Coordinates of all heavy atoms in Angstrom, one line a residue:
M1 N -32.4 26.1 -94.4 CA -33.1 25.5 -93.5 C -32.4 25.5 -92.1 O -31.2 25.1 -92.1 CB -33.4 24.1 -94.0 CG -34.2 23.2 -93.0 SD -34.6 21.6 -93.6 CE -35.8 21.1 -92.5
N2 N -33.0 25.9 -91.1 CA -32.4 26.0 -89.7 C -32.4 24.6 -89.1 O -33.5 24.0 -89.0 CB -33.2 27.0 -88.9 CG -32.5 27.3 -87.5 OD1 -31.6 26.6 -87.1 ND2 -32.8 28.4 -87.1
P3 N -31.3 24.1 -88.7 CA -31.1 22.7 -88.1 C -31.7 22.7 -86.7 O -32.0 21.6 -86.2 CB -29.7 22.5 -88.1 CG -29.0 23.7 -88.1 CD -30.0 24.7 -88.8
M4 N -31.9 23.8 -86.1 CA -32.4 23.8 -84.8 C -33.9 23.9 -84.8 O -34.5 24.7 -85.5 CB -31.8 25.0 -83.9 CG -30.3 24.8 -84.0 SD -29.4 25.6 -82.5 CE -30.6 26.2 -81.4
P5 N -34.6 23.2 -83.9 CA -36.1 23.2 -83.8 C -36.5 24.7 -83.6 O -36.0 25.4 -82.7 CB -36.4 22.3 -82.7 CG -35.3 21.6 -82.4 CD -34.1 22.3 -83.0
Q6 N -37.6 25.1 -84.3 CA -38.2 26.4 -84.0 C -39.5 26.4 -83.3 O -40.0 27.4 -83.0 CB -38.3 27.1 -85.4 CG -37.0 27.3 -86.1 CD -35.9 28.1 -85.3 OE1 -36.2 29.2 -84.8 NE2 -34.8 27.6 -85.0
S7 N -40.1 25.2 -83.1 CA -41.4 25.1 -82.6 C -41.4 23.8 -81.6 O -40.5 22.9 -81.7 CB -42.5 25.0 -83.6 OG -42.4 23.8 -84.3
Y8 N -42.4 23.7 -80.9 CA -42.5 22.5 -80.0 C -42.7 21.2 -80.9 O -42.0 20.3 -80.6 CB -43.7 22.7 -79.1 CG -44.0 21.4 -78.3 CD1 -43.3 21.1 -77.1 CD2 -45.0 20.5 -78.7 CE1 -43.6 19.8 -76.4 CE2 -45.2 19.2 -78.1 CZ -44.5 19.0 -76.9 OH -44.6 17.8 -76.2
E9 N -43.5 21.3 -82.0 CA -43.6 20.3 -82.8 C -42.4 19.7 -83.4 O -42.1 18.5 -83.5 CB -44.7 20.6 -83.9 CG -46.1 20.7 -83.4 CD -46.3 22.0 -82.6 OE1 -45.5 23.0 -82.8 OE2 -47.3 22.1 -81.9
E10 N -41.5 20.7 -83.9 CA -40.2 20.3 -84.5 C -39.3 19.7 -83.5 O -38.7 18.7 -83.6 CB -39.5 21.6 -85.1 CG -40.2 22.1 -86.3 CD -39.6 23.4 -86.9 OE1 -38.5 23.8 -86.3 OE2 -40.1 23.9 -87.8
W11 N -39.3 20.3 -82.3 CA -38.5 19.7 -81.1 C -39.0 18.4 -80.8 O -38.1 17.5 -80.6 CB -38.6 20.8 -79.9 CG -38.0 20.1 -78.6 CD1 -36.7 20.2 -78.4 CD2 -38.6 19.5 -77.7 NE1 -36.5 19.6 -77.1 CE2 -37.7 19.1 -76.7 CE3 -40.0 19.2 -77.3 CZ2 -38.0 18.5 -75.5 CZ3 -40.3 18.4 -76.2 CH2 -39.3 18.1 -75.2
E12 N -40.2 18.1 -80.6 CA -40.8 16.9 -80.3 C -40.4 15.8 -81.3 O -40.1 14.7 -81.0 CB -42.3 16.8 -80.1 CG -42.9 15.6 -79.7 CD -44.3 15.7 -79.6 OE1 -45.1 16.2 -80.4 OE2 -44.9 15.0 -78.6
H13 N -40.4 16.1 -82.6 CA -40.1 15.2 -83.6 C -38.6 14.9 -83.5 O -38.2 13.8 -83.7 CB -40.4 15.9 -85.1 CG -40.0 15.1 -86.3 ND1 -40.7 14.0 -86.6 CD2 -38.8 15.1 -86.9 CE1 -40.1 13.5 -87.6 NE2 -39.0 14.1 -87.9
C14 N -37.8 15.9 -83.2 CA -36.3 15.7 -83.1 C -36.0 14.8 -81.9 O -35.3 13.7 -82.1 CB -35.5 17.0 -82.8 SG -35.3 18.0 -84.3
I15 N -36.7 14.9 -80.8 CA -36.5 14.1 -79.7 C -37.0 12.6 -79.9 O -36.2 11.6 -79.6 CB -37.2 14.7 -78.4 CG1 -36.6 16.0 -78.1 CG2 -37.2 13.7 -77.2 CD1 -35.2 15.9 -77.4
T16 N -38.3 12.5 -80.4 CA -38.8 11.2 -80.4 C -38.6 10.5 -81.6 O -38.3 9.2 -81.6 CB -40.4 11.4 -80.3 OG1 -40.9 12.2 -81.4 CG2 -40.8 12.0 -79.0
V17 N -38.3 11.2 -82.8 CA -38.1 10.4 -84.1 C -36.6 10.3 -84.3 O -36.0 9.3 -84.5 CB -38.9 11.1 -85.2 CG1 -38.6 10.3 -86.6 CG2 -40.4 10.9 -84.9
K18 N -35.9 11.5 -84.5 CA -34.5 11.5 -84.8 C -33.6 10.9 -83.8 O -32.7 10.3 -84.0 CB -34.1 12.9 -85.2 CG -34.7 13.4 -86.4 CD -34.2 14.8 -86.8 CE -34.9 15.3 -88.1 NZ -34.4 16.7 -88.4
C19 N -34.0 11.2 -82.5 CA -33.2 10.7 -81.3 C -33.7 9.5 -80.8 O -33.0 8.7 -80.1 CB -33.1 11.7 -80.2 SG -32.2 13.2 -80.7
G20 N -34.9 9.1 -81.1 CA -35.5 7.9 -80.7 C -35.7 7.8 -79.1 O -35.8 6.7 -78.6
L21 N -35.9 9.0 -78.5 CA -36.3 9.0 -77.2 C -37.7 9.0 -76.9 O -38.4 9.6 -77.7 CB -35.5 10.2 -76.5 CG -34.0 10.2 -76.6 CD1 -33.4 11.5 -76.1 CD2 -33.4 9.1 -75.8
S22 N -38.2 8.5 -75.8 CA -39.6 8.6 -75.4 C -39.7 9.7 -74.3 O -39.0 9.8 -73.4 CB -40.0 7.3 -74.8 OG -40.0 6.2 -75.6
L23 N -40.7 10.5 -74.5 CA -41.1 11.6 -73.5 C -41.9 11.0 -72.5 O -43.1 11.3 -72.4 CB -41.7 12.8 -74.3 CG -40.8 13.5 -75.3 CD1 -41.6 14.5 -76.1 CD2 -39.7 14.2 -74.5
T24 N -41.3 10.2 -71.7 CA -41.9 9.6 -70.5 C -42.0 10.7 -69.3 O -41.2 11.6 -69.3 CB -41.3 8.4 -70.0 OG1 -39.9 8.8 -69.5 CG2 -41.1 7.4 -71.1
P25 N -43.0 10.5 -68.4 CA -42.9 11.4 -67.3 C -41.5 11.4 -66.5 O -41.1 12.6 -66.1 CB -44.0 10.8 -66.4 CG -44.9 10.2 -67.3 CD -44.0 9.6 -68.4
E26 N -40.9 10.3 -66.3 CA -39.7 10.2 -65.7 C -38.6 11.0 -66.4 O -37.9 11.8 -65.8 CB -39.2 8.8 -65.5 CG -37.9 8.6 -64.8 CD -37.5 7.2 -64.6 OE1 -37.6 6.4 -65.5 OE2 -37.0 7.0 -63.5
F27 N -38.4 10.7 -67.8 CA -37.5 11.4 -68.6 C -37.6 12.9 -68.5 O -36.7 13.7 -68.3 CB -37.4 10.8 -70.0 CG -36.5 11.6 -70.9 CD1 -35.1 11.5 -70.8 CD2 -37.0 12.4 -72.0 CE1 -34.3 12.2 -71.6 CE2 -36.2 13.1 -72.8 CZ -34.8 13.0 -72.6
V28 N -38.9 13.4 -68.9 CA -39.2 14.8 -68.9 C -38.9 15.4 -67.6 O -38.4 16.5 -67.5 CB -40.7 15.0 -69.3 CG1 -41.1 16.4 -69.2 CG2 -40.8 14.5 -70.8
G29 N -39.3 14.9 -66.5 CA -39.1 15.4 -65.1 C -37.5 15.5 -64.8 O -37.2 16.6 -64.2
K30 N -36.8 14.5 -65.1 CA -35.4 14.6 -64.9 C -34.8 15.7 -65.7 O -33.8 16.5 -65.3 CB -34.6 13.3 -65.2 CG -34.9 12.2 -64.2 CD -34.2 10.9 -64.6 CE -34.4 9.8 -63.6 NZ -33.8 8.6 -63.8
R31 N -35.2 15.9 -67.0 CA -34.5 16.9 -67.8 C -35.0 18.3 -67.4 O -34.1 19.2 -67.3 CB -35.0 16.7 -69.2 CG -34.4 15.5 -70.0 CD -32.9 15.4 -69.9 NE -32.2 16.6 -70.3 CZ -31.2 17.2 -69.8 NH1 -30.7 16.7 -68.6 NH2 -30.7 18.3 -70.2
I32 N -36.2 18.5 -66.9 CA -36.6 19.8 -66.3 C -35.8 20.1 -65.1 O -35.3 21.2 -64.9 CB -38.1 19.7 -66.0 CG1 -38.9 19.8 -67.4 CG2 -38.5 21.0 -65.2 CD1 -40.4 19.6 -67.2
K33 N -35.7 19.1 -64.2 CA -34.9 19.3 -63.0 C -33.5 19.7 -63.3 O -32.9 20.7 -62.7 CB -35.0 18.1 -62.1 CG -34.3 18.2 -60.8 CD -34.4 17.0 -60.0 CE -33.8 17.2 -58.6 NZ -33.8 16.1 -57.8
A34 N -32.9 19.0 -64.2 CA -31.5 19.4 -64.6 C -31.3 20.7 -65.2 O -30.5 21.5 -64.9 CB -30.9 18.3 -65.5
L35 N -32.3 21.1 -66.2 CA -32.2 22.3 -66.8 C -32.5 23.5 -66.0 O -32.0 24.6 -66.2 CB -33.2 22.3 -68.1 CG -32.8 21.4 -69.3 CD1 -33.9 21.3 -70.3 CD2 -31.5 22.1 -70.0
E36 N -33.4 23.3 -64.9 CA -33.6 24.4 -64.0 C -32.5 24.7 -63.0 O -32.5 25.7 -62.4 CB -34.9 24.0 -63.3 CG -36.2 24.1 -64.1 CD -37.4 23.7 -63.3 OE1 -37.4 23.0 -62.3 OE2 -38.5 24.3 -63.7
D37 N -31.5 23.7 -63.0 CA -30.4 23.8 -62.1 C -29.3 24.3 -62.9 O -28.5 23.6 -63.5 CB -30.1 22.5 -61.5 CG -28.9 22.5 -60.5 OD1 -28.3 23.6 -60.3 OD2 -28.5 21.4 -59.9
R38 N -29.0 25.7 -62.8 CA -27.8 26.3 -63.5 C -26.5 25.9 -63.0 O -25.5 26.1 -63.6 CB -28.0 27.8 -63.6 CG -29.1 28.2 -64.5 CD -29.2 29.7 -64.6 NE -30.1 30.1 -65.7 CZ -29.6 30.5 -66.9 NH1 -28.3 30.5 -67.1 NH2 -30.5 30.8 -67.8
A39 N -26.5 25.3 -61.8 CA -25.3 24.8 -61.2 C -24.9 23.4 -61.8 O -23.8 22.9 -61.7 CB -25.3 24.7 -59.7
D40 N -25.8 22.7 -62.5 CA -25.7 21.4 -63.1 C -24.7 21.6 -64.3 O -24.9 22.4 -65.1 CB -27.0 20.9 -63.6 CG -26.9 19.4 -64.1 OD1 -26.5 19.3 -65.2 OD2 -27.2 18.5 -63.4
L41 N -23.6 20.8 -64.3 CA -22.6 20.9 -65.3 C -23.3 20.6 -66.7 O -22.8 21.3 -67.6 CB -21.5 19.8 -65.1 CG -20.3 19.9 -66.0 CD1 -19.7 21.2 -66.0 CD2 -19.3 18.8 -65.6
S42 N -24.1 19.6 -66.8 CA -24.7 19.4 -68.1 C -25.5 20.6 -68.6 O -25.6 20.9 -69.8 CB -25.6 18.1 -68.1 OG -26.7 18.3 -67.4
T43 N -26.1 21.3 -67.8 CA -26.9 22.5 -68.1 C -26.0 23.6 -68.5 O -26.2 24.3 -69.5 CB -27.8 23.0 -66.9 OG1 -28.7 21.9 -66.5 CG2 -28.5 24.2 -67.2
Q44 N -24.9 23.8 -67.7 CA -23.9 24.7 -68.1 C -23.2 24.5 -69.5 O -23.1 25.4 -70.3 CB -22.8 24.8 -67.0 CG -23.2 25.3 -65.7 CD -22.2 25.2 -64.6 OE1 -21.0 24.8 -64.9 NE2 -22.5 25.6 -63.4
K45 N -23.0 23.2 -69.9 CA -22.5 22.9 -71.1 C -23.5 23.1 -72.2 O -23.1 23.6 -73.4 CB -22.0 21.4 -71.1 CG -20.8 21.2 -70.3 CD -20.4 19.7 -70.4 CE -19.1 19.4 -69.7 NZ -18.6 18.1 -69.7
F46 N -24.7 22.8 -71.9 CA -25.8 23.0 -72.8 C -25.9 24.5 -73.2 O -26.0 24.9 -74.3 CB -27.1 22.5 -72.3 CG -28.3 22.6 -73.3 CD1 -28.7 21.5 -73.9 CD2 -29.0 23.9 -73.4 CE1 -29.8 21.7 -74.8 CE2 -30.1 24.0 -74.3 CZ -30.5 22.8 -75.0
I47 N -25.9 25.4 -72.2 CA -26.0 26.9 -72.4 C -24.8 27.4 -73.1 O -24.9 28.2 -74.2 CB -26.2 27.5 -71.1 CG1 -27.6 27.2 -70.5 CG2 -26.1 29.1 -71.3 CD1 -27.7 27.6 -69.0
A48 N -23.6 26.9 -72.8 CA -22.4 27.3 -73.4 C -22.4 27.0 -74.9 O -22.0 27.7 -75.8 CB -21.2 26.7 -72.8
F49 N -22.9 25.8 -75.2 CA -22.8 25.3 -76.7 C -24.0 25.9 -77.5 O -23.9 26.4 -78.6 CB -23.0 23.8 -76.7 CG -22.8 23.3 -78.1 CD1 -21.5 23.1 -78.6 CD2 -23.9 22.9 -78.9 CE1 -21.4 22.6 -79.8 CE2 -23.7 22.3 -80.2 CZ -22.4 22.2 -80.6
W50 N -25.2 26.0 -76.9 CA -26.5 26.3 -77.7 C -26.9 27.8 -77.4 O -27.7 28.3 -78.2 CB -27.6 25.4 -77.3 CG -27.5 24.0 -77.7 CD1 -27.1 22.9 -77.0 CD2 -27.4 23.5 -79.2 NE1 -26.9 21.8 -77.8 CE2 -27.1 22.1 -79.1 CE3 -27.7 24.1 -80.4 CZ2 -27.1 21.3 -80.2 CZ3 -27.6 23.3 -81.5 CH2 -27.3 21.9 -81.4
G51 N -26.5 28.4 -76.3 CA -26.8 29.8 -76.1 C -28.0 29.8 -75.2 O -28.9 28.9 -75.1
E52 N -28.3 31.0 -74.6 CA -29.4 31.3 -73.6 C -30.8 31.1 -74.3 O -31.7 30.7 -73.8 CB -29.3 32.6 -73.0 CG -28.1 32.8 -72.0 CD -28.5 32.1 -70.6 OE1 -29.7 31.9 -70.4 OE2 -27.6 31.8 -69.9
G53 N -30.8 31.6 -75.5 CA -32.2 31.5 -76.3 C -32.6 30.2 -76.5 O -33.8 29.9 -76.2
H54 N -31.8 29.3 -77.0 CA -32.2 27.9 -77.2 C -32.3 27.1 -75.9 O -33.3 26.3 -75.8 CB -31.2 27.2 -78.0 CG -31.6 25.9 -78.5 ND1 -32.7 25.7 -79.4 CD2 -31.1 24.7 -78.2 CE1 -32.8 24.4 -79.6 NE2 -32.0 23.7 -78.8
Y55 N -31.6 27.5 -74.9 CA -31.8 27.0 -73.6 C -33.2 27.2 -73.1 O -33.9 26.4 -72.7 CB -30.7 27.5 -72.6 CG -31.1 27.3 -71.1 CD1 -31.0 26.1 -70.5 CD2 -31.5 28.5 -70.4 CE1 -31.4 26.0 -69.2 CE2 -31.9 28.4 -69.0 CZ -31.8 27.1 -68.5 OH -32.2 26.9 -67.1
A56 N -33.5 28.5 -73.1 CA -34.9 28.9 -72.7 C -36.0 28.2 -73.4 O -37.0 27.7 -72.9 CB -35.1 30.4 -72.8
K57 N -35.9 28.1 -74.8 CA -36.9 27.4 -75.6 C -36.9 25.9 -75.2 O -38.0 25.4 -75.1 CB -36.5 27.5 -77.1 CG -36.8 28.8 -77.7 CD -36.4 28.7 -79.2 CE -36.5 30.1 -79.9 NZ -36.1 29.9 -81.3
T58 N -35.8 25.3 -75.0 CA -35.8 23.9 -74.7 C -36.4 23.6 -73.3 O -37.2 22.7 -73.2 CB -34.4 23.3 -74.6 OG1 -33.8 23.6 -76.0 CG2 -34.3 21.9 -74.4
L59 N -36.1 24.4 -72.3 CA -36.8 24.3 -71.0 C -38.2 24.4 -71.1 O -39.1 23.6 -70.6 CB -36.1 25.3 -70.0 CG -36.7 25.2 -68.6 CD1 -36.6 23.8 -68.1 CD2 -36.0 26.2 -67.8
E60 N -38.7 25.4 -71.9 CA -40.1 25.6 -72.2 C -40.7 24.4 -72.8 O -41.8 24.0 -72.5 CB -40.3 26.9 -72.9 CG -41.9 27.1 -73.1 CD -42.7 27.2 -71.9 OE1 -42.3 27.6 -70.9 OE2 -43.9 26.7 -71.9
W61 N -40.0 23.9 -73.8 CA -40.6 22.6 -74.6 C -40.7 21.5 -73.7 O -41.7 20.7 -73.7 CB -39.8 22.3 -75.7 CG -39.9 23.4 -76.9 CD1 -40.9 24.2 -77.1 CD2 -38.9 23.8 -77.8 NE1 -40.7 25.0 -78.2 CE2 -39.4 24.8 -78.6 CE3 -37.5 23.4 -78.0 CZ2 -38.7 25.4 -79.6 CZ3 -36.8 24.0 -79.1 CH2 -37.4 25.0 -79.9
F62 N -39.8 21.3 -72.7 CA -39.9 20.1 -71.8 C -41.1 20.3 -70.8 O -41.9 19.5 -70.6 CB -38.6 20.0 -71.0 CG -37.7 19.0 -71.7 CD1 -36.5 19.5 -72.2 CD2 -37.9 17.7 -71.7 CE1 -35.5 18.5 -72.8 CE2 -37.0 16.7 -72.4 CZ -35.8 17.3 -72.9
R63 N -41.3 21.6 -70.5 CA -42.4 21.9 -69.6 C -43.7 21.7 -70.4 O -44.7 21.2 -69.8 CB -42.3 23.4 -69.2 CG -41.2 23.6 -68.1 CD -41.1 25.1 -67.7 NE -40.1 25.3 -66.6 CZ -39.4 26.3 -66.5 NH1 -39.6 27.4 -67.3 NH2 -38.6 26.5 -65.5
Q64 N -43.7 22.0 -71.6 CA -45.0 21.8 -72.5 C -45.1 20.4 -72.6 O -46.2 19.9 -72.5 CB -44.7 22.3 -73.9 CG -45.9 22.8 -74.6 CD -45.6 23.7 -75.9 OE1 -44.5 24.2 -76.0 NE2 -46.5 23.6 -76.7
A65 N -44.1 19.6 -72.8 CA -44.3 18.1 -72.8 C -44.8 17.5 -71.6 O -45.7 16.6 -71.6 CB -42.9 17.4 -73.1
R66 N -44.4 18.1 -70.5 CA -44.9 17.7 -69.1 C -46.4 18.0 -69.0 O -47.2 17.1 -68.6 CB -44.2 18.4 -68.0 CG -44.7 18.0 -66.6 CD -43.9 18.6 -65.4 NE -44.0 20.1 -65.7 CZ -43.1 20.9 -64.9 NH1 -42.3 20.4 -64.0 NH2 -43.2 22.2 -65.1
S67 N -46.8 19.1 -69.5 CA -48.3 19.4 -69.5 C -49.0 18.5 -70.4 O -50.1 18.2 -70.1 CB -48.5 20.9 -69.7 OG -48.4 21.2 -71.1
H68 N -48.5 18.1 -71.5 CA -49.2 17.2 -72.5 C -49.3 15.9 -71.9 O -50.3 15.2 -72.1 CB -48.4 17.1 -73.8 CG -48.5 18.3 -74.6 ND1 -48.0 18.4 -75.9 CD2 -49.1 19.6 -74.3 CE1 -48.2 19.6 -76.4 NE2 -48.8 20.3 -75.6
L69 N -48.4 15.4 -71.1 CA -48.4 14.1 -70.4 C -49.4 14.0 -69.3 O -50.0 13.0 -69.0 CB -47.1 13.8 -69.8 CG -45.9 13.5 -70.7 CD1 -44.6 13.4 -70.0 CD2 -46.1 12.2 -71.5
K70 N -49.7 15.2 -68.7 CA -50.7 15.3 -67.7 C -52.2 15.3 -68.2 O -53.1 15.0 -67.4 CB -50.5 16.5 -66.8 CG -49.3 16.4 -66.0 CD -49.1 17.7 -65.2 CE -47.9 17.6 -64.3 NZ -47.7 18.9 -63.5
Q71 N -52.3 15.5 -69.5 CA -53.7 15.6 -70.1 C -54.3 14.2 -70.2 O -53.7 13.2 -70.3 CB -53.7 16.3 -71.4 CG -53.3 17.7 -71.2 CD -53.2 18.4 -72.6 OE1 -53.3 17.9 -73.6 NE2 -52.9 19.7 -72.5

């Protein structure tokens, strides 16, 4: 079993259930802004630890969450 989320649904479950975070517009917006800024130290650490592929998926999942919030 892969411990890393492989889909939006798995990622959302990890964020909201396992981590206990709410995907509020403010939280999602802040995370997208930070992840889009490759000069941001937390983004650099995220990429160094998880790799480019997971970084790209995570950014896309946050964007997907933002689109779900707008519906």
Side-chain angles (χ1 to χ4, degrees):
M1 181 176 195
N2 192 336
M4 301 207 3
Q6 299 301 305
S7 68
Y8 174 80
E9 291 76 17
E10 289 177 11
W11 171 83
E12 183 181 38
H13 179 80
C14 286
I15 293 290
T16 60
V17 177
K18 292 182 178 181
C19 296
L21 299 170
S22 296
L23 291 173
T24 65
E26 181 181 39
F27 174 71
V28 170
K30 284 181 180 180
R31 292 307 307 138
I32 291 171
K33 184 176 179 179
L35 287 168
E36 288 178 335
D37 180 3
R38 287 181 167 262
D40 184 280
L41 183 58
S42 66
T43 300
Q44 292 173 1
K45 287 181 179 182
F46 185 97
I47 294 169
F49 188 81
W50 295 107
E52 286 286 339
H54 189 67
Y55 159 77
K57 285 182 188 177
T58 301
L59 180 54
E60 180 55 35
W61 290 330
F62 271 109
R63 290 175 175 153
Q64 211 173 331
R66 178 177 59 193
S67 72
H68 289 185
L69 291 169
K70 291 180 179 178
Q71 294 178 358

